[in-house]
Amino acid sequence: MKKLLFTLTMLCCVSAFSLSAQTQAALDLAGFIGEPPGELSLWIERTPEQASPMDLAVTTTLRSVGTLHAETTGPLYEVSLQSQNGFELVHTADSSYKVAYTFDIDAPYSQIAEASYNNGWPGTDSFVFDSWADEDREYNMLVSFTGVDPASYQAGSYTDTITFTIIAL
């Protein structure tokens, strides 16, 4: 009886182990021709004031919302950005309520010295704002919008997400 109980216990343990075993693994491969690619990184720094929510009932001009840092070990790079909501802050519960804004990048070292992005210009929600830089850069990010009438808009939170991407050229 003890032997049967021991055998059943071991069988359960082996079965449990085999059910939890990983059945897949991935291996990413990368290659290059010519010079090996350098390292690139992108990160955003925000003060508590820059990260605080904005009062959308008050017209705001060039409010700093953070600093974008692009770092490189030497390769030329390009930075692009994409707005999830087409440069509109959208109510979290009812997407029919939207507040358009302009997103400015103070990029003194870029080909476009200062770039403004908003809904409909230049007709897309994705842009490249800097290219061919070969050293670390900082870009001040600013938001402007016309205040809306609170009686005409649903109260609550309005959000948008802007995704930045850096690639080597």
Side-chain angles (χ1 to χ4, degrees), residues 132-148:
W132 300 289
D134 60 356
E135 57 188 68
D136 298 349
R137 300 285 190 214
E138 291 183 357
Y139 306 99
N140 191 22
M141 300 178 295
L142 309 138
V143 171
S144 300
F145 57 88
T146 301
V148 298

PDB file of all heavy atoms in Angstrom, residues 132-148:
ATOM      1  N   TRP A 132      20.001  62.767 -38.633  1.00  0.00           N
ATOM      2  CA  TRP A 132      21.407  63.000 -38.907  1.00  0.00           C
ATOM      3  C   TRP A 132      22.168  63.634 -37.744  1.00  0.00           C
ATOM      4  O   TRP A 132      23.195  64.234 -37.935  1.00  0.00           O
ATOM      5  CB  TRP A 132      21.589  63.800 -40.191  1.00  0.00           C
ATOM      6  CG  TRP A 132      21.019  63.073 -41.349  1.00  0.00           C
ATOM      7  CD1 TRP A 132      21.518  61.953 -41.938  1.00  0.00           C
ATOM      8  CD2 TRP A 132      19.808  63.358 -42.022  1.00  0.00           C
ATOM      9  NE1 TRP A 132      20.692  61.531 -42.944  1.00  0.00           N
ATOM     10  CE2 TRP A 132      19.639  62.378 -43.023  1.00  0.00           C
ATOM     11  CE3 TRP A 132      18.841  64.332 -41.886  1.00  0.00           C
ATOM     12  CZ2 TRP A 132      18.547  62.364 -43.870  1.00  0.00           C
ATOM     13  CZ3 TRP A 132      17.754  64.314 -42.733  1.00  0.00           C
ATOM     14  CH2 TRP A 132      17.618  63.349 -43.710  1.00  0.00           C
ATOM     15  N   ALA A 133      21.668  63.489 -36.545  1.00  0.00           N
ATOM     16  CA  ALA A 133      22.446  63.931 -35.382  1.00  0.00           C
ATOM     17  C   ALA A 133      23.416  62.809 -35.029  1.00  0.00           C
ATOM     18  O   ALA A 133      23.097  61.643 -35.170  1.00  0.00           O
ATOM     19  CB  ALA A 133      21.538  64.229 -34.211  1.00  0.00           C
ATOM     20  N   ASP A 134      24.602  63.156 -34.577  1.00  0.00           N
ATOM     21  CA  ASP A 134      25.566  62.124 -34.203  1.00  0.00           C
ATOM     22  C   ASP A 134      26.085  62.342 -32.791  1.00  0.00           C
ATOM     23  O   ASP A 134      27.178  61.917 -32.454  1.00  0.00           O
ATOM     24  CB  ASP A 134      26.700  62.022 -35.215  1.00  0.00           C
ATOM     25  CG  ASP A 134      27.481  63.327 -35.334  1.00  0.00           C
ATOM     26  OD1 ASP A 134      27.100  64.320 -34.685  1.00  0.00           O
ATOM     27  OD2 ASP A 134      28.463  63.335 -36.080  1.00  0.00           O
ATOM     28  N   GLU A 135      25.315  63.038 -31.984  1.00  0.00           N
ATOM     29  CA  GLU A 135      25.672  63.214 -30.576  1.00  0.00           C
ATOM     30  C   GLU A 135      24.404  63.303 -29.743  1.00  0.00           C
ATOM     31  O   GLU A 135      23.306  63.466 -30.275  1.00  0.00           O
ATOM     32  CB  GLU A 135      26.542  64.451 -30.384  1.00  0.00           C
ATOM     33  CG  GLU A 135      25.923  65.735 -30.881  1.00  0.00           C
ATOM     34  CD  GLU A 135      26.906  66.894 -30.831  1.00  0.00           C
ATOM     35  OE1 GLU A 135      27.877  66.892 -31.602  1.00  0.00           O
ATOM     36  OE2 GLU A 135      26.669  67.782 -30.011  1.00  0.00           O
ATOM     37  N   ASP A 136      24.573  63.197 -28.433  1.00  0.00           N
ATOM     38  CA  ASP A 136      23.424  63.240 -27.529  1.00  0.00           C
ATOM     39  C   ASP A 136      22.701  64.576 -27.649  1.00  0.00           C
ATOM     40  O   ASP A 136      23.332  65.620 -27.803  1.00  0.00           O
ATOM     41  CB  ASP A 136      23.880  63.033 -26.083  1.00  0.00           C
ATOM     42  CG  ASP A 136      24.533  61.677 -25.873  1.00  0.00           C
ATOM     43  OD1 ASP A 136      24.460  60.824 -26.771  1.00  0.00           O
ATOM     44  OD2 ASP A 136      25.111  61.480 -24.795  1.00  0.00           O
ATOM     45  N   ARG A 137      21.369  64.531 -27.576  1.00  0.00           N
ATOM     46  CA  ARG A 137      20.545  65.733 -27.694  1.00  0.00           C
ATOM     47  C   ARG A 137      19.433  65.718 -26.657  1.00  0.00           C
ATOM     48  O   ARG A 137      18.972  64.647 -26.242  1.00  0.00           O
ATOM     49  CB  ARG A 137      19.904  65.830 -29.074  1.00  0.00           C
ATOM     50  CG  ARG A 137      20.877  65.882 -30.220  1.00  0.00           C
ATOM     51  CD  ARG A 137      21.515  67.221 -30.317  1.00  0.00           C
ATOM     52  NE  ARG A 137      22.268  67.316 -31.562  1.00  0.00           N
ATOM     53  CZ  ARG A 137      23.375  67.984 -31.696  1.00  0.00           C
ATOM     54  NH1 ARG A 137      23.888  68.624 -30.692  1.00  0.00           N
ATOM     55  NH2 ARG A 137      23.988  68.037 -32.856  1.00  0.00           N
ATOM     56  N   GLU A 138      18.974  66.915 -26.287  1.00  0.00           N
ATOM     57  CA  GLU A 138      17.809  67.076 -25.425  1.00  0.00           C
ATOM     58  C   GLU A 138      16.801  67.937 -26.161  1.00  0.00           C
ATOM     59  O   GLU A 138      17.176  68.925 -26.794  1.00  0.00           O
ATOM     60  CB  GLU A 138      18.183  67.760 -24.111  1.00  0.00           C
ATOM     61  CG  GLU A 138      19.031  66.915 -23.205  1.00  0.00           C
ATOM     62  CD  GLU A 138      19.311  67.620 -21.880  1.00  0.00           C
ATOM     63  OE1 GLU A 138      18.895  68.782 -21.690  1.00  0.00           O
ATOM     64  OE2 GLU A 138      19.961  66.996 -21.039  1.00  0.00           O
ATOM     65  N   TYR A 139      15.531  67.554 -26.073  1.00  0.00           N
ATOM     66  CA  TYR A 139      14.472  68.272 -26.760  1.00  0.00           C
ATOM     67  C   TYR A 139      13.374  68.610 -25.751  1.00  0.00           C
ATOM     68  O   TYR A 139      12.833  67.713 -25.104  1.00  0.00           O
ATOM     69  CB  TYR A 139      13.883  67.425 -27.881  1.00  0.00           C
ATOM     70  CG  TYR A 139      14.921  66.918 -28.857  1.00  0.00           C
ATOM     71  CD1 TYR A 139      15.423  65.626 -28.762  1.00  0.00           C
ATOM     72  CD2 TYR A 139      15.387  67.742 -29.870  1.00  0.00           C
ATOM     73  CE1 TYR A 139      16.372  65.171 -29.660  1.00  0.00           C
ATOM     74  CE2 TYR A 139      16.338  67.284 -30.776  1.00  0.00           C
ATOM     75  CZ  TYR A 139      16.824  65.997 -30.660  1.00  0.00           C
ATOM     76  OH  TYR A 139      17.758  65.555 -31.547  1.00  0.00           O
ATOM     77  N   ASN A 140      13.038  69.899 -25.633  1.00  0.00           N
ATOM     78  CA  ASN A 140      11.949  70.307 -24.765  1.00  0.00           C
ATOM     79  C   ASN A 140      10.629  70.046 -25.490  1.00  0.00           C
ATOM     80  O   ASN A 140      10.471  70.396 -26.660  1.00  0.00           O
ATOM     81  CB  ASN A 140      12.083  71.798 -24.414  1.00  0.00           C
ATOM     82  CG  ASN A 140      11.147  72.221 -23.314  1.00  0.00           C
ATOM     83  OD1 ASN A 140      10.672  71.417 -22.524  1.00  0.00           O
ATOM     84  ND2 ASN A 140      10.858  73.503 -23.253  1.00  0.00           N
ATOM     85  N   MET A 141       9.684  69.416 -24.805  1.00  0.00           N
ATOM     86  CA  MET A 141       8.390  69.095 -25.388  1.00  0.00           C
ATOM     87  C   MET A 141       7.335  70.015 -24.773  1.00  0.00           C
ATOM     88  O   MET A 141       7.268  70.160 -23.554  1.00  0.00           O
ATOM     89  CB  MET A 141       8.050  67.631 -25.131  1.00  0.00           C
ATOM     90  CG  MET A 141       9.078  66.680 -25.726  1.00  0.00           C
ATOM     91  SD  MET A 141       8.750  64.945 -25.387  1.00  0.00           S
ATOM     92  CE  MET A 141       8.924  64.886 -23.606  1.00  0.00           C
ATOM     93  N   LEU A 142       6.515  70.644 -25.630  1.00  0.00           N
ATOM     94  CA  LEU A 142       5.557  71.647 -25.197  1.00  0.00           C
ATOM     95  C   LEU A 142       4.177  71.376 -25.792  1.00  0.00           C
ATOM     96  O   LEU A 142       4.071  70.874 -26.915  1.00  0.00           O
ATOM     97  CB  LEU A 142       6.035  73.035 -25.639  1.00  0.00           C
ATOM     98  CG  LEU A 142       7.480  73.355 -25.268  1.00  0.00           C
ATOM     99  CD1 LEU A 142       8.192  74.058 -26.396  1.00  0.00           C
ATOM    100  CD2 LEU A 142       7.517  74.176 -24.010  1.00  0.00           C
ATOM    101  N   VAL A 143       3.131  71.748 -25.053  1.00  0.00           N
ATOM    102  CA  VAL A 143       1.761  71.549 -25.499  1.00  0.00           C
ATOM    103  C   VAL A 143       1.017  72.880 -25.448  1.00  0.00           C
ATOM    104  O   VAL A 143       1.181  73.653 -24.510  1.00  0.00           O
ATOM    105  CB  VAL A 143       1.039  70.516 -24.609  1.00  0.00           C
ATOM    106  CG1 VAL A 143      -0.444  70.446 -24.913  1.00  0.00           C
ATOM    107  CG2 VAL A 143       1.671  69.146 -24.771  1.00  0.00           C
ATOM    108  N   SER A 144       0.199  73.132 -26.482  1.00  0.00           N
ATOM    109  CA  SER A 144      -0.672  74.305 -26.530  1.00  0.00           C
ATOM    110  C   SER A 144      -2.074  73.854 -26.929  1.00  0.00           C
ATOM    111  O   SER A 144      -2.224  72.925 -27.735  1.00  0.00           O
ATOM    112  CB  SER A 144      -0.189  75.324 -27.564  1.00  0.00           C
ATOM    113  OG  SER A 144       1.107  75.778 -27.259  1.00  0.00           O
ATOM    114  N   PHE A 145      -3.086  74.496 -26.363  1.00  0.00           N
ATOM    115  CA  PHE A 145      -4.471  74.224 -26.757  1.00  0.00           C
ATOM    116  C   PHE A 145      -5.349  75.398 -26.366  1.00  0.00           C
ATOM    117  O   PHE A 145      -5.011  76.194 -25.502  1.00  0.00           O
ATOM    118  CB  PHE A 145      -4.996  72.921 -26.130  1.00  0.00           C
ATOM    119  CG  PHE A 145      -4.911  72.886 -24.631  1.00  0.00           C
ATOM    120  CD1 PHE A 145      -5.945  73.373 -23.843  1.00  0.00           C
ATOM    121  CD2 PHE A 145      -3.789  72.369 -23.999  1.00  0.00           C
ATOM    122  CE1 PHE A 145      -5.855  73.349 -22.453  1.00  0.00           C
ATOM    123  CE2 PHE A 145      -3.682  72.345 -22.620  1.00  0.00           C
ATOM    124  CZ  PHE A 145      -4.724  72.835 -21.845  1.00  0.00           C
ATOM    125  N   THR A 146      -6.486  75.501 -27.043  1.00  0.00           N
ATOM    126  CA  THR A 146      -7.474  76.513 -26.716  1.00  0.00           C
ATOM    127  C   THR A 146      -8.411  75.921 -25.678  1.00  0.00           C
ATOM    128  O   THR A 146      -8.937  74.816 -25.871  1.00  0.00           O
ATOM    129  CB  THR A 146      -8.268  76.913 -27.974  1.00  0.00           C
ATOM    130  OG1 THR A 146      -7.333  77.407 -28.941  1.00  0.00           O
ATOM    131  CG2 THR A 146      -9.297  77.979 -27.667  1.00  0.00           C
ATOM    132  N   GLY A 147      -8.617  76.640 -24.579  1.00  0.00           N
ATOM    133  CA  GLY A 147      -9.494  76.162 -23.520  1.00  0.00           C
ATOM    134  C   GLY A 147     -10.906  75.922 -24.033  1.00  0.00           C
ATOM    135  O   GLY A 147     -11.386  76.634 -24.925  1.00  0.00           O
ATOM    136  N   VAL A 148     -11.570  74.916 -23.502  1.00  0.00           N
ATOM    137  CA  VAL A 148     -12.927  74.569 -23.932  1.00  0.00           C
ATOM    138  C   VAL A 148     -13.939  74.984 -22.867  1.00  0.00           C
ATOM    139  O   VAL A 148     -13.597  75.134 -21.692  1.00  0.00           O
ATOM    140  CB  VAL A 148     -13.049  73.062 -24.226  1.00  0.00           C
ATOM    141  CG1 VAL A 148     -12.122  72.659 -25.367  1.00  0.00           C
ATOM    142  CG2 VAL A 148     -12.745  72.229 -22.994  1.00  0.00           C
TER     143      VAL A 148
END
